[in-house]
Amino acid sequence: MALRIYSTLSRQKEDFVTLEPGAVKMYVCGPNLYGPAHVGHAMSYIIFDTIRRYLQYRGYRVKYVQNFTDIEDRIIETAHSLNTTVQELAEKYIARFYAEMDALNVLRADYNPRATGVIPKIIEIVAGLVEKGYAYPVDGDVYFRVTRMPDYGKLSHRALDGMEAGARIEVDERKEHPMDFALWKASKPGEPAWDSPWGKGRPGWHIECSAMSMQYLGEQLDIHGGGHDVIFPHHENEIAQSEAFTGKVPFVRYWVHNALLRLHEGEEKMTRHLGNIVSIQEALDRYSSDAIRLFILSSHYRSPLTWKDENILAAERGVERIKVALKDWTGHPQQSPGDALCEEADRARNEFIAGMDDDFNSPRAIAQVYELARLINAARDAQAPAESVAYAQGILHELTGVLGLTLKGRAAPSEVEPFIALLVLTRNELRAAKQFALADQIRNRLAGLGVVLEDSADGTAWKYTG
């Protein structure tokens, strides 16, 4: 089965055919550095990290670029309000971003360019667009002329005539058309500025990603990723300015957009300016990185997701089942003995691949991981041959690696161990009194803190998974 990807541009699944056989040029929109990232951002980065891992698993050479937006209106406003510089603010949140992504086991990009690092490329593109008649300068600003692109709106599937209604557009009587967008902005007092043919100024938001992707990946890409909320106007404008500048169509072969994360059902997406967020650090304080990844990947990337504690706790328990299945695995490659367990393990791998080949259907893939873990645990109980168990474990470890799971834990702080023991004792007393709802509540809250309980005929044991 060939890998097929849903493209926002065509609104259908397409066979994955790269510009260069065996190689993937992949660009993903990174964070805007005016504040810390939240779990809605983490959802996107985990999804694209998994896509990258899977492409590499399938043998592709992936060149992965994810940018930092370090000059933009909100960054400037925030820096002024905090009485700091734009650069200091950016450095602070870049350091925090790296630390949080490392904690979530998100692989670092091959390149993390900053908008301020590609100013010469930005000026080159803007000047080229002006020369070709796709852009026009006005009083030190430069705007893109959307009417020159007859297919403008093809990504968001909107007609230019109907775009003004409900759109957030910059009102400026100097623009030829209300939807014309800024490529270059004349400097204002107190703002960072660079010399340009149109005077001192700074880039507009949209041109930054075109310049960074071209600088590191060339004039055409295989995959461009980002959240559903940046399809319009950001990615729409990227297409227009990039194809106008290079004359090469398409700028991107596959536009991949993840759906958005909400804090509660029916609410808007998580967003920093509304404050309806859970920070990444807050999430990591409560749950393991593996549970957060499994929770996110248990929903298809194009389906909206709601942050629910009970679902993340369920993912935490799922992580523990996988860890139990991998217990005592030596890590050495094993030859398949060819018995029923090994055949089931091979089948699980094939079904995992079939799921991921179908537009990165991670829920389908995860179902195979859980099923294989169940089979391994059952085989152990039935005292199956050690070499068969080891072979199945090797495949399970292989597949969890594609999902970016670490399956690691850490010891509980010594000062909390007596309190955990007391809670375990209280839970057992509640169970003896048939107050199962309260007992389950203790178990679930402990799981959320990384403490997993294991009930057996000999009593209840606990361990800290981190």
Side-chain angles (χ1 to χ4, degrees):
M1 180 178 175
L3 172 60
R4 291 173 62 79
I5 301 179
Y6 181 92
S7 177
T8 306
L9 185 63
S10 65
R11 288 191 175 178
Q12 62 183 9
K13 294 178 186 177
E14 302 177 11
D15 288 344
F16 186 57
V17 181
T18 57
L19 292 160
E20 177 188 339
V24 178
K25 296 179 179 181
M26 185 172 176
Y27 183 92
V28 175
C29 282
N32 189 327
L33 300 171
Y34 73 92
H38 54 70
V39 291
H41 298 117
M43 174 180 171
S44 184
Y45 305 137
I46 287 170
I47 286 168
F48 287 106
D49 176 66
T50 305
I51 289 174
R52 175 196 189 180
R53 288 172 182 269
Y54 182 68
L55 292 171
Q56 291 174 330
Y57 175 71
R58 295 288 270 139
Y60 288 98
R61 303 183 309 278
V62 181
K63 190 174 182 181
Y64 187 91
V65 177
Q66 182 174 294
N67 73 292
F68 287 122
T69 298
D70 64 341
I71 184 69
E72 192 261 349
D73 291 349
R74 283 171 291 186
I75 300 174
I76 295 170
E77 293 166 4
T78 303
H80 284 172
S81 69
L82 297 175
N83 196 30
T84 188
T85 67
V86 169
Q87 183 178 2
E88 288 172 344
L89 189 68
E91 293 294 344
K92 171 184 174 181
Y93 288 121
I94 286 174
R96 178 166 175 170
F97 178 82
Y98 278 138
E100 291 174 343
M101 291 302 104
D102 289 347
L104 290 169
N105 201 30
V106 172
L107 298 173
R108 294 201 179 187
D110 295 308
Y111 300 96
N112 284 117
R114 306 182 189 193
T116 57
V118 295
I119 297 296
K121 187 65 177 180
I122 290 172
I123 292 174
E124 175 194 340
I125 296 172
V126 175
L129 291 170
V130 171
E131 182 180 350
K132 294 179 180 183
Y134 287 102
Y136 56 95
V138 182
D139 302 328
D141 296 331
V142 182
Y143 290 99
F144 186 87
R145 189 176 273 124
V146 296
T147 54
R148 278 292 309 274
M149 299 296 288
D151 59 356
Y152 183 75
K154 62 184 177 182
L155 181 66
S156 56
H157 301 272
R158 304 183 184 189
L160 184 59
D161 292 344
M163 283 184 183
E164 294 179 56
R168 290 189 304 168
I169 57 176
E170 183 181 348
V171 178
D172 189 337
E173 294 180 354
R174 300 174 304 155
K175 294 197 293 184
E176 295 177 359
H177 189 281
M179 296 307 298
D180 290 351
F181 57 89
L183 299 169
W184 187 261
K185 296 184 176 185
S187 64
K188 297 177 182 177
E191 288 187 353
W194 290 264
D195 292 327
S196 80
W198 316 282
K200 281 191 172 294
R202 60 181 176 87
W205 175 37
H206 311 301
I207 196 66
E208 295 176 356
C209 281
S210 288
M212 286 184 278
S213 64
M214 288 186 199
Q215 181 94 356
Y216 289 89
L217 294 173
E219 295 181 344
Q220 290 180 292
L221 316 178
D222 292 299
I223 294 175
H224 194 316
H228 190 270
D229 53 337
V230 292
I231 293 175
F232 184 88
H234 185 49
H235 287 171
E236 192 75 71
N237 292 346
E238 270 194 72
I239 291 177
Q241 65 202 11
S242 300
E243 293 182 353
F245 174 68
T246 67
K248 296 179 180 179
V249 179
F251 166 50
V252 175
R253 295 178 75 92
Y254 305 93
W255 284 94
V256 180
H257 293 97
N258 62 275
L260 306 177
L261 185 65
R262 302 166 296 200
L263 187 57
H264 301 291
E265 293 284 356
E267 282 191 353
E268 287 191 51
K269 64 164 183 169
M270 283 192 186
T271 181
R272 287 176 285 194
H273 74 268
L274 290 179
N276 59 338
I277 64 171
V278 175
S279 73
I280 295 174
Q281 190 56 58
E282 181 183 355
L284 287 167
D285 287 343
R286 298 181 65 185
Y287 309 108
S288 70
S289 63
D290 284 345
I292 294 170
R293 289 187 75 106
L294 267 185
F295 163 71
I296 287 169
L297 297 174
S298 292
S299 177
H300 191 274
Y301 77 89
R302 288 191 285 115
S303 299
L305 188 59
T306 302
W307 183 262
K308 290 184 177 180
D309 288 337
E310 59 266 33
N311 291 350
I312 309 168
L313 290 171
E316 202 81 72
R317 293 191 292 272
V319 170
E320 189 56 32
R321 292 198 300 273
I322 297 169
K323 287 182 180 178
V324 170
L326 286 171
K327 184 180 179 182
D328 300 326
W329 180 56
T330 63
H332 299 297
Q334 300 288 330
Q335 191 75 20
S336 171
D339 60 11
L341 177 60
C342 298
E343 289 175 359
E344 285 296 319
D346 288 334
R347 182 203 60 76
R349 175 199 274 149
N350 292 335
E351 287 297 318
F352 180 99
I353 292 172
M356 292 297 285
D357 273 355
D358 183 17
D359 190 32
F360 309 112
N361 191 331
S362 55
R364 181 177 165 188
I366 288 171
Q368 297 304 315
V369 168
Y370 282 148
E371 175 62 11
L372 182 53
R374 185 192 68 79
L375 290 170
I376 291 170
N377 290 329
R380 270 206 181 123
D381 292 340
Q383 298 184 327
E387 59 269 23
S388 299
V389 172
Y391 178 79
Q393 286 177 317
I395 291 179
L396 179 60
H397 186 268
E398 172 188 312
L399 301 183
T400 56
V402 176
L403 300 175
L405 303 185
T406 65
L407 303 176
K408 295 178 182 178
R410 61 182 187 269
S414 58
E415 63 268 21
V416 306
E417 291 187 11
F419 298 100
I420 296 173
L422 178 61
L423 287 169
V424 171
L425 177 63
T426 302
R427 173 178 173 270
N428 288 341
E429 292 174 350
L430 288 169
R431 293 176 73 199
K434 299 189 184 302
Q435 297 187 43
F436 298 111
L438 288 174
D440 287 344
Q441 187 175 358
I442 291 176
R443 181 189 188 111
N444 290 340
R445 291 303 298 271
L446 284 172
L449 297 171
V451 180
V452 176
L453 306 186
E454 294 179 346
D455 296 315
S456 70
D458 298 325
T460 301
W462 64 268
K463 59 183 174 181
Y464 188 66
T465 61

